[in-house]
Amino acid sequence: QVQLVESGGGLVQAGGSLRLSCAASGSFRSINAMGYYRQAPGTQRELVARIESGGRTIYADSVKGRFTISRDNAKNTVYLEMNSLKPEDTALYYCNVDVFVDPVLGRGTYWTQGTQVTVSS
């Protein structure tokens, strides 16, 4: 079992900043990648940012230069620093963690229930 604890989110004015964090715990050998996705009403869930075990990062074009993803491997925690927020960033943000459980079970992917980010204009 893998547990994810997500924190952060909330209401902020346009131009403001928020920080999300997501900590993984439980029974797994290693974490392959950690990231955030988001989904606004009436839209599909989309990748926001992702960071792999080696540190390679991927960002959606819409957040490049404004959001920064990082991870603390010792704490199994991923952080998403969101700056210069825009009303179009309003969405439910989900943390996603891809782990290697063990040689029998192999890989697993886990999601949080999401945290709301609302940016007012």
Side-chain angles (χ1 to χ4, degrees):
Q1 287 286 350
V2 177
Q3 294 81 42
L4 300 179
V5 177
E6 185 174 25
S7 62
L11 174 64
V12 65
Q13 288 189 330
S17 299
L18 284 174
R19 188 193 199 205
L20 305 182
S21 65
C22 177
S25 63
S27 181
F28 54 87
R29 296 287 184 91
S30 62
I31 298 177
N32 300 319
M34 309 179 84
Y36 279 90
Y37 290 71
R38 68 186 181 188
Q39 187 170 18
T43 69
Q44 290 187 330
R45 190 174 298 188
E46 63 175 3
L47 171 70
V48 177
R50 186 172 174 85
I51 183 166
E52 298 178 351
S53 57
R56 188 173 81 102
T57 56
I58 302 169
Y59 292 94
D61 288 342
S62 59
V63 307
K64 284 180 181 177
R66 300 187 297 122
F67 291 12
T68 302
I69 192 167
S70 61
R71 63 190 278 178
D72 184 333
N73 291 327
K75 296 181 179 179
N76 292 330
T77 300
V78 62
Y79 305 95
L80 184 67
E81 191 72 38
M82 304 184 291
N83 299 315
S84 302
L85 282 161
K86 305 175 181 180
E88 50 264 44
D89 294 317
T90 297
L92 196 59
Y93 282 68
Y94 298 91
C95 173
N96 170 262
V97 176
D98 185 66
V99 305
F100 178 71
V101 180
D102 61 39
V104 175
L105 295 177
R107 290 176 60 183
T109 187
Y110 298 85
W111 296 86
T112 61
Q113 292 189 329
T115 186
Q116 180 67 38
V117 170
T118 302
V119 184
S120 63
S121 57

